[in-house]
Amino acid sequence: MRSTWDIFCNVVDNYGDIGIAWRLARGLVKEHGLAVRLWVDDLPAFQRIWPAIDPDAAEQSCEGVTVRAWRSPFAATEPAQVVIEAFGCALPESYLVAMSGQSPPPVWINLEYLSAEPWVAAHHGLPSPHPRLPLTKYFFFPGYTPDTGGLLAEADLAERRAAFVRAGTSVFWRQLGIDAPQSNEFRVSLFAYENPALPALLDAWAADPRPITCLVPEGRIIPQLAAWLSVPSPRAGEVHQRGALRLHILPFLNQDAYDQLLWACDLNFVRGEDSCVRAQWAAHPLVWQAYPQADEVHWEKLNALLVHYTQGLNDAAAQAVSGLWRHWNGMPDVDDMAACWAAWRGQQAAIEQYAEFWCARLSLAGSLTDKLVDFAENKLKFRVFSNP
Ligand code: TRH
């Protein structure tokens, strides 16, 4: 019999939490035939990445997933056999008590944030007993190596991307209301947090010898763009030209269309967690802006991914990638943006070639969805044996 799963997602800010929870929920249903309920405390945020979501519905079915509004107080609910707490969101107390009253209790897993830091593998899968209730929570760490929880990727992702590339991107651009690229044009997508390095990057693009088109889905970076362009807040559909740079403001896309944008661009500026992984799966170069944290903790995450990502690049290309990523993340002791961009441009061919290789290599980490199902099912089996 297929197991039942509850995924709890508390949207802290931005779209990464719900983006990952939704990707996982869809994968569990589509690829493993599981019965999944997804509890979300901010349905309007969910609707931005998946417009079919009704932000007012207490319960709805979408892509085979039962989506429930996570409201307070939490109505009495029979817990599922597997309970996923996304990113340490605290489960409702009444639900925890209901879990502890079940025999055997559910398999309880905290899905952690992704990091390339070396300590991740040692912490993956560790148990933590609840201080009061007879429950054990397990920590599941996504990661870039086979000894971690792996990375989210649909089983047919590579195939869909290859079909998209084979078909050519002109239909996609037309749907967005944008001309197909000219032969010497360079296309960049830009998804970013507010960033003091942005004006210098835009200056460098405006001065580039080749035309650069930058596609910006509406979001947190817009006020800075407005300031640089000296225009009132630009809206989706607007186009602005400054020197070699043509800027298109796009509506915020649904998650699948955003993937296509990453596949269609030559370079993708991404942020946080989910878009960073999607850009790596896109097999094009990327520049990652880590989610800013207190005491610059995110710089460690950035360096860890850089070490991992650049290990197969030649020295000059590795330096060009590191320089641009580090400057974009405000790290000290890096050249100015104009020099970082020029260095990156100088190594572009090697970096592009490497992105394909990296994408293929990434699969070695394993599919997070498959690993999570194996992990939970092993625990479910063990529970049956230890609770006859
Ligand atoms: O939105 P984010 O900044 O999310 C962040 C990080 O995940 C961070 O780790 C977390 O701690 C913080 O939130 C609270 O970036 P991320 O992770 O890339 O998530 C963005 C999601 O939005 C992703 O699923 C892709 C999706 N997206 C669209 O669906 N359409 C779009 O147009 C764009 C730009 C993104």
Side-chain angles (χ1 to χ4, degrees):
M1 208 182 70
R2 60 188 196 153
S3 52
T4 58
W5 290 53
D6 271 335
I7 302 175
F8 283 84
C9 176
N10 163 222
V11 178
V12 178
D13 57 4
N14 307 310
Y15 303 102
D17 303 309
I18 184 58
I20 290 163
W22 176 231
R23 229 181 258 300
L24 173 64
R26 285 203 278 165
L28 291 171
V29 169
K30 191 168 170 213
E31 292 167 21
H32 294 272
L34 300 169
V36 180
R37 278 188 305 206
L38 173 60
W39 299 85
V40 183
D41 69 347
D42 184 349
L43 290 174
F46 190 177
Q47 191 192 29
R48 283 214 85 195
I49 62 160
W50 205 257
I53 290 297
D54 176 350
D56 300 314
E59 176 170 344
Q60 60 197 296
S61 175
C62 190
E63 304 277 312
V65 176
T66 301
V67 176
R68 300 281 299 263
W70 176 0
R71 292 188 181 138
S72 186
F74 194 77
T77 305
E78 188 183 340
Q81 291 166 296
V82 181
V83 178
I84 307 290
E85 178 184 278
F87 314 116
C89 67
L91 295 182
E93 184 61 25
S94 61
Y95 185 89
L96 269 179
V97 172
M99 280 166 66
S100 67
Q102 293 206 310
S103 182
V107 174
W108 178 18
I109 297 170
N110 184 51
L111 174 63
E112 285 290 341
Y113 288 108
L114 168 66
S115 173
E117 288 163 290
W119 55 264
V120 162
H123 288 75
H124 174 55
L126 290 183
S128 162
H130 190 278
R132 283 178 293 108
L133 299 168
L135 291 169
T136 300
K137 171 156 82 173
Y138 294 91
F139 292 93
F140 190 95
F141 279 88
Y144 287 89
T145 50
D147 48 2
T148 66
L151 295 165
L152 270 177
E154 304 80 76
D156 63 353
L157 177 62
E159 208 178 295
R160 282 190 292 117
R161 185 179 67 81
F164 177 87
V165 171
R166 260 198 317 275
T169 55
S170 49
V171 174
F172 173 71
W173 293 122
R174 206 174 317 124
Q175 282 164 353
L176 288 180
I178 298 171
D179 291 340
Q182 305 160 35
S183 57
N184 64 341
E185 183 190 321
F186 189 65
R187 254 179 205 193
V188 188
S189 78
L190 179 61
F191 178 43
Y193 309 113
E194 299 79 0
N195 191 332
L198 181 68
L201 178 68
L202 298 172
D203 289 343
W205 286 348
D208 205 89
R210 280 168 51 181
I212 296 188
T213 298
C214 175
L215 295 314
V216 191
E218 281 183 317
R220 288 172 57 170
I221 202 83
I222 294 291
Q224 268 197 287
L225 283 180
W228 186 80
L229 291 164
S230 302
V231 298
S233 190
R235 291 177 188 282
E238 284 188 31
V239 186
H240 297 272
Q241 183 87 39
R242 297 287 184 278
L245 173 63
R246 181 182 289 257
L247 269 165
H248 283 264
I249 313 298
L250 303 181
F252 200 81
L253 304 170
N254 77 52
Q255 230 181 15
D256 287 351
Y258 180 61
D259 263 338
Q260 295 183 332
L261 180 69
L262 298 174
W263 300 342
C265 284
D266 303 304
L267 167 66
N268 295 299
F269 278 67
V270 286
R271 72 180 204 194
E273 187 168 323
D274 193 46
S275 57
C276 177
V277 174
R278 302 311 283 188
Q280 292 173 64
W281 289 128
H284 290 302
L286 70 150
V287 178
W288 181 44
Q289 186 181 17
Y291 181 68
Q293 288 174 281
D295 301 325
E296 319 299 0
V297 172
H298 56 292
W299 285 352
E300 281 162 39
K301 289 192 174 173
L302 185 91
N303 278 333
L305 183 54
L306 269 175
V307 166
H308 203 53
Y309 183 77
T310 59
Q311 63 191 212
L313 275 169
N314 71 57
D315 285 352
Q319 269 175 28
V321 168
S322 296
L324 186 55
W325 286 35
R326 287 161 62 89
H327 188 92
W328 188 237
N329 284 272
M331 291 178 76
D333 310 325
V334 188
D335 281 345
D336 64 24
M337 180 52 93
C340 287
W341 178 246
W344 191 94
R345 274 299 227 175
Q347 295 299 321
Q348 186 181 328
I351 298 168
E352 280 173 352
Q353 204 182 9
Y354 180 72
E356 294 268 353
F357 162 82
W358 176 256
C359 175
R361 211 196 120 152
L362 213 52
S363 320
L364 297 178
S367 150
L368 185 148
T369 312
D370 293 355
K371 286 184 160 188
L372 188 61
V373 170
D374 280 354
F375 186 86
E377 284 184 350
N378 278 330
K379 295 276 180 272
L380 278 173
K381 272 188 224 143
F382 178 73
R383 278 180 352 160
V384 172
F385 289 124
S386 56
N387 293 277

